[in-house]
Amino acid sequence: MFLPELKSLPDEDICLLVKLDNHTPHYICECGDAGLLSVKDCQNTQVIFISHTHIDHFVNFDTILRHQIGIEKKVVICGPAGIAEQVHSKIKAYTWNLIEAGSIVYEVREIINEQEINIYELEPPKWELRKTGVISKNIIFDNERFQVNFTLLDHKIPSVAYLFKEMDTVKIDLSKRELKTAFEQKIPNNEIVIEGKSRLAKDLFHLLDIKKGNTLGVIMDHASSAENHAKIKALFSGCDKVFIESFYKLEDKTFAEANYHSYSQASGCIMRECAVKEAIPVHFSRKYKEEDLRLLIEEFERAYKGD
Ligand SMILES: [Zn+2]
Ligand SMILES: [Zn+2]
C-alpha cells in the first residue's frame, strides 16, 4: 500500500513523499520548494522522480543533495531527456574538495522516449558524468514491492507522468502453496497434481485469492489536450489514487492554454473519465490566495464527481 504525503503547502512548489507500509526506503516526487520536507525524509529517500525541470519542480534538489551527502548509498534520479546534464551542472556549482568518494552515488535515469532510458552515474569528489547503461522498456524503476511505469505528456516540453504499481500478492492458503509459488514465480506451465489429476498451474490461478496491488499516479504539468488525455486514460484508468496538476481556475483557461498547463475543470474531468478512485488536485498558480484556491478545488471536485 502506497502512503503518499504532500510535503508542500498549497502556496509552495510541488513535492510529494511516497512511503509504503512495511518498507523502509522513501521516494520523492518533484523537488519543488517544500516547507514540510525534513532532513530525515531526504536521507531516507532512495529514488527521486522528476516530471520536468522547470524551476518550480527542481529548485529544491540542491537542498535534498545537501542532506544526502554522507548517507553512503546510491540514490536514483529519474527524469526527462537532459536531466543528467542538469543534475551534473547543479552539482558542479559547488566545491567538493572535502567530500570523500563513496559518501553518495547518484544514478540518473534519463527518459529519451517511452521505450528508451539512458543511465548515468556520478559520484564525489570529481562528479564525472559516466554513461553506464540503457533500459529498453517502459519501466523506469522496480524492486520487490512495486514498479513504476510512465508516459510523456506535452507541456511544450516532455513532462513525465509516473504510475506506481504495487505487485499483486496472494493470500496465504496452505492447501494452495504449490499454486501460489507457481503464480509468484511466474511459472504458469508448472504441473500441479490435484486429486490424482495433473493440471497446468495457469488453469488453476483463478482458485487463488489474489490481492490486487495498490496503484498511485503522479501527473504533473501538462496541456489540456486530446493527445495528453488519451495518454492519461491509457495509463491511469482505474487507478486507486492520483495527484494531478490543476494549475489554473476555469476562468483562467486561456492562461492554461498559453502555458501548456491544465486547469481545474479539465483535470477533474479526465480523472472522472479514468474512473480514478481518489483524485487529488495539486500544484496551483501562486497568484491564487485562499478564496481563489477554494473555488479552484470546488471546480475540480464538481468535474471529478460529474455534478
Ligand atoms: Zn512546468
Ligand atoms: Zn509546474
Side-chain angles (χ1 to χ4, degrees):
M1 174 98 177
F2 293 109
L3 305 166
E5 292 172 15
L6 261 180
K7 289 291 171 180
S8 43
L9 300 168
D11 60 346
E12 289 181 325
D13 300 331
I14 183 73
C15 180
L16 188 68
L17 187 75
V18 179
K19 299 180 188 172
L20 279 94
D21 61 310
N22 297 315
H23 182 78
T24 312
H26 297 172
Y27 305 87
I28 287 176
C29 294
E30 309 298 299
C31 297
D33 183 24
L36 303 176
L37 190 71
S38 70
V39 174
K40 222 169 174 41
D41 291 336
C42 298
Q43 290 175 339
N44 287 336
T45 289
Q46 192 183 65
V47 189
I48 300 169
F49 296 89
I50 306 273
S51 61
H52 64 299
T53 51
H54 280 157
I55 193 164
D56 51 329
H57 296 256
F58 201 37
V59 65
N60 210 33
F61 173 75
D62 296 36
T63 305
I64 296 170
L65 162 70
R66 165 79 185 90
H67 298 321
Q68 287 185 331
I69 294 297
I71 62 172
E72 297 179 353
K73 286 183 201 154
K74 183 188 274 189
V75 174
V76 177
I77 303 166
C78 305
I83 194 166
E85 196 48 61
Q86 290 176 315
V87 166
H88 189 218
S89 301
K90 270 182 173 273
I91 289 172
K92 294 295 277 184
Y94 300 101
T95 304
W96 297 97
N97 63 310
L98 300 179
I99 303 296
E100 288 178 13
S103 60
I104 186 154
V105 178
Y106 281 110
E107 179 182 300
V108 186
R109 301 187 180 183
E110 184 174 291
I111 299 168
I112 306 304
N113 59 50
E114 276 162 10
Q115 293 297 332
E116 192 187 347
I117 298 158
N118 286 337
I119 305 179
Y120 298 86
E121 227 170 69
L122 57 176
E123 62 182 302
K126 289 197 171 157
W127 296 107
E128 281 161 350
L129 187 64
R130 294 176 293 115
K131 190 172 174 187
T132 54
V134 178
I135 301 174
S136 304
K137 57 183 176 184
N138 188 263
I139 300 172
I140 181 86
F141 179 80
D142 63 342
N143 62 20
E144 72 290 350
R145 285 291 302 275
F146 67 95
Q147 69 176 46
V148 184
N149 296 83
F150 62 93
T151 189
L152 295 175
L153 301 178
D154 178 20
H155 175 47
K156 211 172 185 176
I157 49 166
S159 172
V160 188
Y162 295 100
L163 173 67
F164 291 69
K165 233 159 76 178
E166 200 181 16
M167 304 305 177
D168 294 345
T169 51
V170 180
K171 286 190 191 153
I172 294 170
D173 177 344
L174 290 180
S175 67
K176 296 171 189 157
R177 185 190 284 161
E178 228 183 322
L179 191 56
K180 177 175 179 274
T181 308
F183 178 82
E184 286 176 344
Q185 296 180 357
K186 297 192 175 73
I187 36 180
N189 292 323
N190 243 23
E191 292 204 359
I192 289 171
V193 178
I194 288 189
E195 292 166 0
K197 237 176 115 185
S198 178
R199 307 269 298 267
L200 287 182
K202 66 180 175 188
D203 296 333
L204 301 169
F205 281 166
H206 64 278
L207 298 176
L208 289 172
D209 192 1
I210 297 165
K211 186 169 166 274
K212 288 295 280 176
N214 188 234
T215 45
L216 168 72
V218 181
I219 305 172
M220 285 298 122
D221 305 10
H222 64 285
S224 173
S225 66
E227 295 79 9
N228 278 343
H229 288 164
K231 285 184 166 188
I232 290 172
K233 267 192 202 168
L235 195 59
F236 298 96
S237 284
C239 214
D240 291 313
K241 190 180 269 195
V242 173
F243 290 84
I244 183 165
E245 177 244 325
S246 190
F247 204 72
Y248 289 105
K249 281 166 61 182
L250 179 57
E251 69 171 15
D252 288 333
K253 187 178 166 181
T254 46
F255 289 113
E257 283 163 1
N259 296 321
Y260 287 68
H261 261 292
S262 186
Y263 54 95
S264 55
Q265 189 193 51
S267 291
C269 242
I270 188 63
M271 290 294 90
R272 186 181 77 244
E273 287 174 27
C274 288
V276 165
K277 294 186 188 81
E278 186 185 356
I280 300 149
V282 289
H283 193 29
F284 313 118
S285 165
R286 290 203 289 188
K287 71 178 179 171
Y288 300 136
K289 300 299 167 208
E290 281 172 22
E291 178 60 12
D292 281 326
L293 276 179
R294 199 180 56 75
L295 279 171
L296 189 160
I297 292 166
E298 261 178 35
E299 287 168 359
F300 175 92
E301 293 295 343
R302 263 203 304 277
Y304 175 43
K305 289 177 182 143
D307 294 344

